Amino acid sequence: MKGSEAIIESLKAAGVEVVFGLPGGMVIPLYDALYDSDLKHFLVRHEQGAAHMADGYARATGKVGVCVATSGPGATNLVTGIANAYMDSTPMVAITGQARSDLIGTDAFQEADITGITEPIVKHSYLIKNPKDIPRIFKEAFYIASTGRPGPVLIDIPSDIQLADIDYKPAGKINLPGYKPTLKGHKKQILSAAKAIAAAEKPVIYAGGGIITAGAEKELMAIAKLMKIPVTTTLMGLGCFPENNDLSLGMLGMHGTGYANYAVTHSDLLIGVGARFDDRVTGKLATFAKHARKIHIDMDPAEISKNVAIDIPIVGDARDVLAGILAELKTMKREPRKTAAWLDQVIAWKKKHPLHFKDEKGSIMPQYVIEEINRITRSDAIICTDVGQHQMWSALFYTHVKPRHFVSSGGLGTMGFGFPAAIGAKVGCPDKTVIDVAGDGSFQMNIQELATAVCYDIPVVVCILNNGFLGMVRQWQELFWNKRYSATVIECQPDFAAVADAYGALGIEITDKKDVGDAIRTAIKAKRPAVLDFHVKQEENVFPMVPAGKSIDEMIGGHKS
Amino acid sequence: MKHTLSVLVENKPGVLARVAGLFARRGFNINSLAVGITEDPDISRMTITVDAEEHPIEQVTKQLHKLINVIKITDLDPDRTVARELALVKVKSDAKTRAEVMQLAEIFRASILDVSKKTLTIEITGTYEKIDALEQLLQPHGVVEIVRTGRIAIERGEK
């Protein structure tokens, strides 16, 4: 068997069904083997698209996403996508071709040291030097990518390794002496956490993407209900706790809801689960939840006390740990009214500081578009976004009720992520409505993937909140830089509907508020890729907002006037 | 505060780059680094000395643990550790001063590796401080070149 065929066998052994990629000289042998295989390959128009598609596929399905690129520029084009997956802990395997083994280090044609380049942004990487190692390395790569705190793993394969003849044997047992993720939480710590929760009068659960990774939504809900604890989620955690539940506080942080930020600030116990106390969540560290004891449950020991000192750390799988805490709580004496006054306070904050926006006559408000998407899809679509204002409006004004239904670039904040991620999500979940909410700036960063969507008939609906600006930067310039809109005005804008049409997708331009709902319904019903170009109010801001370096209860625009 | 980290790693290509890169990314300056295989040929030991406070060193240790090829990390307690470095010092010395330099070497239990008309090359093993002390005494004669290994260290006792 050829090395390239061994790669296909190894992918199949790992349960891979789909691969996103683009060939080049150093992966011709691999693509030749792919030609005869049952694996479904999606040819992208830019390798960055392939990486984001694999990422979106992984987030929507929970399976490992796979992308392929050739050596040199193909591999370097994956870099942003790999970094994005790393920051948001997405399981991904990136396969790259490499120059022939004997040419490595000679500046050969299309040679790039991709294992070196990606070293800080992968969970692990391999450069295959012996074709016999192919089955083992692939097995390890998928194991590492998908277990513990998930992340991207890169496998770099010189072309001669793909061509070599090997005696294929399926990989044996995995032996990684340096990789043993802690799954089970420490019993004593679990008990301490349960005691602290039972004693708390003003507790808040702060839930992140780790809940979704671990599939711990039920355990989270059970604890929140049993102990009557309000729950706020991070951007990555949206959907892990249904926002239509009375205990939901929505998102916290820089653009979090007023009530979430006030609740965290005034809490006496903060229970962080699968979240990493990121600076966009904490604001000024010194005042973050300053009255609260802090419990932190995380898979990754390096996240414990990284930014915020923790009183009760528990390393382990969120589902296992929460189940342990729940079991302890059930055996304890509980006072059902212990948090009653606190919940009344939360309700008062919700009434006083609701999410809101001012409707303006003659304008389409961007928040209104999100509300319409929410209404029409009955909060049941997979929503993908890039980064910026449209992302925050999608986070705030859509009702997130299910896990794996919000696919957004959180940690890296990548413009151009949403659309290819939406394609990946739709490939993984063909029965779901998949909406990509985009900015007019960010959509153009991977607009070429319209060809991929049309070619494979992947009916994703792109909703551009077109305000003619790089909106989030413009907002900062307006608020903190004397409205000096340096390079944030997008002066030359294509006709997006016409562009969509030229690619063979459905394109609709919407300039009147009354057409918003119809356009969304038409696009969803069309069952083909569609681009909706909503001309929204240009200088609208995302509120509430915590200015950089401020405490999270020092919000701008948190009050309804 | 100076820390000596003893790190067991899989003996695989790229491991040194991963470890060194991690220190650089987190803003640590590695003072010394020594790598060699252990009693198990599949496992190497890196002995790394860094200057850092407690919190950042804990963070870098945790990050190191996340590297798949890193098996074990020990932040060695100086009171319970024997540490050695080796240095080769080429010092100016002719017939007039040779006896004096050799006497200095003898006091430090260093050995003479090479002699030329104008130089002596001395091998010294010991703690960081001992090597520094000899170097300072040799400076007035004119140190031509000094080559130092990184620190290696082992815990005292049976373990």
Side-chain angles (χ1 to χ4, degrees), chain A residues 86 119-120 122-126 129 136 144 149 176-179 300-302 304-306, chain B residues 10 12-13 17-19 21-22 25-26 55 58-59 62-63 65-71:
Chain A
Y86 184 72
E119 198 265 312
V122 292
K123 188 169 174 188
H124 196 50
S125 58
Y126 295 92
K129 292 184 168 169
R136 174 183 61 82
I144 292 169
R149 178 178 182 174
L176 293 164
Y179 180 69
D300 181 357
I304 308 278
S305 294
K306 185 177 82 175
Chain B
E10 287 185 89
K12 288 196 170 156
R18 288 178 210 265
V19 171
L22 200 144
R25 278 202 298 287
R26 308 243 157 207
H55 181 72
E58 191 190 320
Q59 182 51 217
K62 284 174 169 178
Q63 294 294 342
H65 261 301
K66 287 171 71 171
L67 298 178
I68 307 292
N69 301 129
V70 170
I71 299 167

Short mmCIF file of all heavy atoms in Angstrom, two decimals, chain A residues 86 119-120 122-126 129 136 144 149 176-179 300-302 304-306, chain B residues 10 12-13 17-19 21-22 25-26 55 58-59 62-63 65-71:
data_model
loop_
_atom_site.label_atom_id
_atom_site.label_comp_id
_atom_site.label_asym_id
_atom_site.label_seq_id
_atom_site.Cartn_x
_atom_site.Cartn_y
_atom_site.Cartn_z
N TYR A 86 -7.40 26.96 17.70
CA TYR A 86 -6.62 26.83 18.94
C TYR A 86 -7.21 27.71 20.03
O TYR A 86 -7.41 27.27 21.17
CB TYR A 86 -5.17 27.22 18.66
CG TYR A 86 -4.26 27.04 19.86
CD1 TYR A 86 -3.91 25.77 20.29
CD2 TYR A 86 -3.76 28.12 20.54
CE1 TYR A 86 -3.07 25.59 21.38
CE2 TYR A 86 -2.93 27.96 21.63
CZ TYR A 86 -2.58 26.69 22.05
OH TYR A 86 -1.75 26.52 23.13
N GLU A 119 3.83 26.24 15.54
CA GLU A 119 4.17 25.69 16.86
C GLU A 119 3.40 26.34 18.02
O GLU A 119 2.87 25.63 18.88
CB GLU A 119 5.69 25.78 17.06
CG GLU A 119 6.24 24.89 18.14
CD GLU A 119 6.36 25.64 19.44
OE1 GLU A 119 6.91 26.75 19.43
OE2 GLU A 119 5.88 25.13 20.45
N PRO A 120 3.26 27.67 18.06
CA PRO A 120 2.53 28.26 19.19
C PRO A 120 1.01 28.16 19.09
O PRO A 120 0.32 28.56 20.01
CB PRO A 120 2.94 29.74 19.15
CG PRO A 120 3.92 29.88 18.05
CD PRO A 120 3.81 28.71 17.18
N VAL A 122 -0.82 25.26 17.85
CA VAL A 122 -1.38 23.91 17.73
C VAL A 122 -1.32 23.23 19.10
O VAL A 122 -0.50 23.57 19.94
CB VAL A 122 -0.62 23.03 16.71
CG1 VAL A 122 -0.83 23.53 15.30
CG2 VAL A 122 0.84 22.90 17.06
N LYS A 123 -2.21 22.26 19.26
CA LYS A 123 -2.13 21.45 20.47
C LYS A 123 -0.94 20.51 20.33
O LYS A 123 -0.23 20.23 21.29
CB LYS A 123 -3.43 20.69 20.67
CG LYS A 123 -3.52 19.97 22.00
CD LYS A 123 -4.91 19.46 22.27
CE LYS A 123 -4.91 18.61 23.54
NZ LYS A 123 -6.20 17.93 23.73
N HIS A 124 -0.73 20.02 19.11
CA HIS A 124 0.44 19.21 18.83
C HIS A 124 0.65 19.18 17.31
O HIS A 124 -0.25 19.51 16.56
CB HIS A 124 0.23 17.78 19.35
CG HIS A 124 1.50 16.98 19.44
ND1 HIS A 124 2.63 17.46 20.05
CD2 HIS A 124 1.82 15.74 18.99
CE1 HIS A 124 3.59 16.54 19.98
NE2 HIS A 124 3.12 15.50 19.34
N SER A 125 1.85 18.79 16.89
CA SER A 125 2.07 18.66 15.45
C SER A 125 3.08 17.55 15.17
O SER A 125 3.83 17.15 16.05
CB SER A 125 2.58 19.99 14.87
OG SER A 125 3.78 20.38 15.51
N TYR A 126 3.02 17.07 13.94
CA TYR A 126 3.91 16.00 13.51
C TYR A 126 4.49 16.33 12.14
O TYR A 126 3.78 16.87 11.28
CB TYR A 126 3.12 14.68 13.34
CG TYR A 126 2.55 14.12 14.61
CD1 TYR A 126 1.25 14.45 15.00
CD2 TYR A 126 3.26 13.22 15.40
CE1 TYR A 126 0.69 13.91 16.15
CE2 TYR A 126 2.71 12.68 16.55
CZ TYR A 126 1.43 13.02 16.92
OH TYR A 126 0.88 12.47 18.05
N LYS A 129 8.33 11.35 9.11
CA LYS A 129 9.62 11.07 8.47
C LYS A 129 9.71 9.63 8.02
O LYS A 129 10.57 9.29 7.20
CB LYS A 129 10.75 11.37 9.46
CG LYS A 129 10.86 12.85 9.74
CD LYS A 129 12.04 13.16 10.62
CE LYS A 129 12.30 14.66 10.63
NZ LYS A 129 13.27 15.04 11.66
N ARG A 136 -0.03 5.22 13.14
CA ARG A 136 0.11 5.62 14.54
C ARG A 136 -0.10 7.12 14.70
O ARG A 136 -0.85 7.57 15.57
CB ARG A 136 1.50 5.25 15.08
CG ARG A 136 1.76 5.77 16.50
CD ARG A 136 3.16 5.47 16.99
NE ARG A 136 4.23 6.06 16.20
CZ ARG A 136 4.64 7.33 16.32
NH1 ARG A 136 4.07 8.13 17.19
NH2 ARG A 136 5.62 7.80 15.56
N ILE A 144 -5.56 13.22 20.28
CA ILE A 144 -5.13 14.45 20.95
C ILE A 144 -6.09 15.60 20.63
O ILE A 144 -6.49 16.37 21.51
CB ILE A 144 -3.68 14.82 20.55
CG1 ILE A 144 -2.70 13.79 21.12
CG2 ILE A 144 -3.32 16.21 21.00
CD1 ILE A 144 -1.30 13.89 20.57
N ARG A 149 -8.74 19.16 26.69
CA ARG A 149 -9.18 20.42 26.09
C ARG A 149 -8.89 20.30 24.60
O ARG A 149 -7.72 20.26 24.20
CB ARG A 149 -8.40 21.58 26.70
CG ARG A 149 -8.78 22.91 26.10
CD ARG A 149 -8.03 24.04 26.76
NE ARG A 149 -8.43 25.31 26.20
CZ ARG A 149 -8.01 26.48 26.66
NH1 ARG A 149 -7.19 26.53 27.68
NH2 ARG A 149 -8.42 27.60 26.11
N LEU A 176 1.01 7.58 24.89
CA LEU A 176 1.49 8.96 25.00
C LEU A 176 1.76 9.26 26.48
O LEU A 176 0.89 9.72 27.20
CB LEU A 176 0.44 9.94 24.46
CG LEU A 176 0.15 9.88 22.96
CD1 LEU A 176 -1.16 10.60 22.64
CD2 LEU A 176 1.30 10.49 22.17
N PRO A 177 2.98 8.96 26.93
CA PRO A 177 3.27 9.09 28.36
C PRO A 177 3.09 10.51 28.88
O PRO A 177 2.83 10.70 30.07
CB PRO A 177 4.73 8.64 28.47
CG PRO A 177 5.28 8.70 27.09
CD PRO A 177 4.14 8.48 26.16
N GLY A 178 3.20 11.51 28.00
CA GLY A 178 3.11 12.90 28.46
C GLY A 178 1.72 13.49 28.30
O GLY A 178 1.53 14.69 28.48
N TYR A 179 0.73 12.67 27.91
CA TYR A 179 -0.61 13.21 27.66
C TYR A 179 -1.66 12.38 28.36
O TYR A 179 -2.06 11.33 27.87
CB TYR A 179 -0.88 13.27 26.16
CG TYR A 179 -2.25 13.83 25.83
CD1 TYR A 179 -2.54 15.17 26.06
CD2 TYR A 179 -3.24 13.02 25.29
CE1 TYR A 179 -3.80 15.69 25.76
CE2 TYR A 179 -4.50 13.53 24.99
CZ TYR A 179 -4.76 14.86 25.23
OH TYR A 179 -6.00 15.38 24.93
N ASP A 300 -8.43 22.25 31.78
CA ASP A 300 -7.03 22.63 31.58
C ASP A 300 -6.46 23.24 32.86
O ASP A 300 -6.83 24.35 33.23
CB ASP A 300 -6.97 23.64 30.42
CG ASP A 300 -5.56 24.07 30.10
OD1 ASP A 300 -4.62 23.63 30.81
OD2 ASP A 300 -5.37 24.84 29.15
N PRO A 301 -5.55 22.54 33.54
CA PRO A 301 -5.01 23.07 34.79
C PRO A 301 -4.33 24.43 34.61
O PRO A 301 -4.27 25.22 35.55
CB PRO A 301 -3.98 22.02 35.23
CG PRO A 301 -4.04 20.89 34.26
CD PRO A 301 -4.99 21.23 33.16
N ALA A 302 -3.84 24.70 33.41
CA ALA A 302 -3.15 25.97 33.18
C ALA A 302 -4.10 27.16 33.23
O ALA A 302 -3.66 28.31 33.35
CB ALA A 302 -2.40 25.94 31.84
N ILE A 304 -6.43 27.50 35.55
CA ILE A 304 -6.77 27.77 36.95
C ILE A 304 -5.85 28.85 37.52
O ILE A 304 -4.64 28.73 37.45
CB ILE A 304 -6.64 26.48 37.81
CG1 ILE A 304 -7.42 25.32 37.19
CG2 ILE A 304 -7.00 26.76 39.26
CD1 ILE A 304 -8.88 25.26 37.47
N SER A 305 -6.46 29.89 38.06
CA SER A 305 -5.70 31.00 38.67
C SER A 305 -4.73 31.66 37.69
O SER A 305 -3.75 32.26 38.10
CB SER A 305 -4.93 30.53 39.91
OG SER A 305 -5.84 30.15 40.92
N LYS A 306 -5.00 31.57 36.38
CA LYS A 306 -4.13 32.24 35.41
C LYS A 306 -4.33 33.75 35.49
O LYS A 306 -3.36 34.50 35.58
CB LYS A 306 -4.44 31.74 33.99
CG LYS A 306 -3.51 32.31 32.93
CD LYS A 306 -3.80 31.74 31.55
CE LYS A 306 -4.97 32.45 30.88
NZ LYS A 306 -5.21 32.00 29.50
N GLU B 10 9.94 13.25 25.99
CA GLU B 10 10.16 12.16 25.04
C GLU B 10 11.31 12.57 24.13
O GLU B 10 11.39 13.72 23.70
CB GLU B 10 8.89 11.93 24.21
CG GLU B 10 7.79 11.25 24.97
CD GLU B 10 6.61 10.95 24.06
OE1 GLU B 10 6.59 9.87 23.46
OE2 GLU B 10 5.74 11.82 23.92
N LYS B 12 12.23 13.03 21.10
CA LYS B 12 11.68 13.13 19.75
C LYS B 12 12.09 14.44 19.11
O LYS B 12 12.35 15.41 19.80
CB LYS B 12 10.15 13.05 19.82
CG LYS B 12 9.66 11.65 20.16
CD LYS B 12 8.20 11.47 19.85
CE LYS B 12 7.84 9.99 19.97
NZ LYS B 12 6.42 9.78 20.24
N PRO B 13 12.13 14.46 17.77
CA PRO B 13 12.53 15.71 17.10
C PRO B 13 11.57 16.85 17.42
O PRO B 13 10.37 16.63 17.56
CB PRO B 13 12.50 15.37 15.61
CG PRO B 13 11.97 14.00 15.47
CD PRO B 13 11.85 13.38 16.82
N ALA B 17 12.70 22.68 20.54
CA ALA B 17 12.13 23.90 19.98
C ALA B 17 10.82 24.25 20.66
O ALA B 17 10.54 25.41 20.96
CB ALA B 17 11.92 23.74 18.48
N ARG B 18 10.00 23.24 20.92
CA ARG B 18 8.71 23.50 21.57
C ARG B 18 8.91 24.07 22.97
O ARG B 18 8.24 25.02 23.38
CB ARG B 18 7.90 22.20 21.69
CG ARG B 18 7.34 21.70 20.38
CD ARG B 18 6.60 20.39 20.61
NE ARG B 18 6.65 19.51 19.46
CZ ARG B 18 5.70 19.45 18.52
NH1 ARG B 18 4.65 20.21 18.62
NH2 ARG B 18 5.82 18.65 17.49
N VAL B 19 9.82 23.46 23.72
CA VAL B 19 10.05 23.90 25.10
C VAL B 19 10.65 25.31 25.12
O VAL B 19 10.16 26.21 25.80
CB VAL B 19 10.96 22.90 25.85
CG1 VAL B 19 11.39 23.46 27.21
CG2 VAL B 19 10.23 21.57 26.03
N GLY B 21 10.59 27.54 22.79
CA GLY B 21 9.64 28.50 22.23
C GLY B 21 8.62 28.93 23.27
O GLY B 21 8.25 30.10 23.34
N LEU B 22 8.20 27.99 24.09
CA LEU B 22 7.21 28.31 25.12
C LEU B 22 7.76 29.33 26.12
O LEU B 22 7.09 30.27 26.51
CB LEU B 22 6.79 27.03 25.83
CG LEU B 22 5.46 27.12 26.54
CD1 LEU B 22 4.73 25.80 26.45
CD2 LEU B 22 5.62 27.51 27.97
N ARG B 25 7.87 32.76 24.39
CA ARG B 25 6.55 33.36 24.21
C ARG B 25 6.01 33.94 25.49
O ARG B 25 5.27 34.89 25.50
CB ARG B 25 5.56 32.31 23.73
CG ARG B 25 5.60 32.03 22.27
CD ARG B 25 4.30 31.42 21.82
NE ARG B 25 3.99 30.15 22.43
CZ ARG B 25 4.60 29.00 22.15
NH1 ARG B 25 5.58 28.99 21.28
NH2 ARG B 25 4.25 27.88 22.74
N ARG B 26 6.36 33.33 26.61
CA ARG B 26 5.82 33.81 27.89
C ARG B 26 6.78 34.81 28.53
O ARG B 26 6.64 35.15 29.70
CB ARG B 26 5.57 32.64 28.83
CG ARG B 26 4.73 31.59 28.17
CD ARG B 26 3.40 31.38 28.84
NE ARG B 26 2.47 30.81 27.87
CZ ARG B 26 1.16 30.95 27.92
NH1 ARG B 26 0.62 31.66 28.85
NH2 ARG B 26 0.40 30.39 27.01
N HIS B 55 4.42 32.99 40.82
CA HIS B 55 3.21 32.86 40.00
C HIS B 55 3.54 32.59 38.52
O HIS B 55 3.03 31.64 37.95
CB HIS B 55 2.30 34.09 40.14
CG HIS B 55 1.04 33.97 39.33
ND1 HIS B 55 0.02 33.11 39.67
CD2 HIS B 55 0.67 34.58 38.18
CE1 HIS B 55 -0.94 33.21 38.76
NE2 HIS B 55 -0.58 34.09 37.85
N GLU B 58 4.81 29.10 37.98
CA GLU B 58 3.76 28.10 38.06
C GLU B 58 3.00 28.05 36.73
O GLU B 58 2.67 26.99 36.21
CB GLU B 58 2.80 28.48 39.20
CG GLU B 58 1.82 27.39 39.53
CD GLU B 58 0.73 27.87 40.48
OE1 GLU B 58 1.04 28.64 41.40
OE2 GLU B 58 -0.43 27.47 40.27
N GLN B 59 2.76 29.22 36.17
CA GLN B 59 2.04 29.29 34.90
C GLN B 59 2.86 28.65 33.77
O GLN B 59 2.34 27.86 32.99
CB GLN B 59 1.73 30.77 34.60
CG GLN B 59 0.93 31.04 33.34
CD GLN B 59 -0.37 30.25 33.18
OE1 GLN B 59 -0.70 29.86 32.07
NE2 GLN B 59 -1.10 29.99 34.25
N LYS B 62 2.78 24.91 34.11
CA LYS B 62 1.52 24.34 33.64
C LYS B 62 1.46 24.33 32.11
O LYS B 62 0.96 23.38 31.51
CB LYS B 62 0.35 25.16 34.19
CG LYS B 62 0.05 24.91 35.66
CD LYS B 62 -1.02 25.89 36.10
CE LYS B 62 -1.60 25.58 37.47
NZ LYS B 62 -2.60 26.61 37.85
N GLN B 63 1.95 25.38 31.52
CA GLN B 63 1.95 25.43 30.05
C GLN B 63 2.88 24.35 29.49
O GLN B 63 2.58 23.72 28.48
CB GLN B 63 2.36 26.82 29.55
CG GLN B 63 1.37 27.93 29.88
CD GLN B 63 0.04 27.79 29.17
OE1 GLN B 63 -0.08 27.08 28.18
NE2 GLN B 63 -0.99 28.47 29.68
N HIS B 65 3.54 21.54 30.82
CA HIS B 65 2.85 20.26 30.99
C HIS B 65 1.92 19.98 29.82
O HIS B 65 1.62 18.82 29.52
CB HIS B 65 2.04 20.27 32.29
CG HIS B 65 2.72 19.58 33.43
ND1 HIS B 65 3.10 18.27 33.36
CD2 HIS B 65 3.12 20.04 34.63
CE1 HIS B 65 3.70 17.94 34.50
NE2 HIS B 65 3.73 19.00 35.28
N LYS B 66 1.42 21.04 29.20
CA LYS B 66 0.48 20.85 28.10
C LYS B 66 1.16 20.36 26.84
O LYS B 66 0.50 19.88 25.92
CB LYS B 66 -0.27 22.16 27.82
CG LYS B 66 -1.29 22.48 28.89
CD LYS B 66 -1.88 23.85 28.73
CE LYS B 66 -2.79 23.97 27.54
NZ LYS B 66 -3.52 25.27 27.53
N LEU B 67 2.48 20.50 26.75
CA LEU B 67 3.17 19.96 25.58
C LEU B 67 3.09 18.44 25.65
O LEU B 67 3.40 17.84 26.68
CB LEU B 67 4.63 20.43 25.55
CG LEU B 67 4.83 21.94 25.44
CD1 LEU B 67 6.33 22.27 25.46
CD2 LEU B 67 4.22 22.48 24.15
N ILE B 68 2.67 17.85 24.55
CA ILE B 68 2.40 16.42 24.53
C ILE B 68 3.67 15.62 24.86
O ILE B 68 3.61 14.59 25.52
CB ILE B 68 1.84 15.99 23.15
CG1 ILE B 68 0.62 16.84 22.77
CG2 ILE B 68 1.53 14.49 23.11
CD1 ILE B 68 -0.62 16.66 23.58
N ASN B 69 4.82 16.11 24.42
CA ASN B 69 6.05 15.35 24.61
C ASN B 69 6.69 15.53 25.99
O ASN B 69 7.70 14.91 26.30
CB ASN B 69 7.10 15.72 23.55
CG ASN B 69 6.61 15.46 22.14
OD1 ASN B 69 6.67 16.33 21.28
ND2 ASN B 69 6.10 14.27 21.90
N VAL B 70 6.12 16.41 26.80
CA VAL B 70 6.67 16.62 28.14
C VAL B 70 6.01 15.64 29.11
O VAL B 70 4.79 15.56 29.20
CB VAL B 70 6.45 18.07 28.62
CG1 VAL B 70 6.80 18.22 30.09
CG2 VAL B 70 7.28 19.02 27.77
N ILE B 71 6.85 14.86 29.80
CA ILE B 71 6.32 13.80 30.66
C ILE B 71 6.22 14.26 32.12
O ILE B 71 5.23 14.04 32.78
CB ILE B 71 7.20 12.54 30.57
CG1 ILE B 71 7.21 12.04 29.11
CG2 ILE B 71 6.70 11.45 31.52
CD1 ILE B 71 8.27 11.01 28.82
#
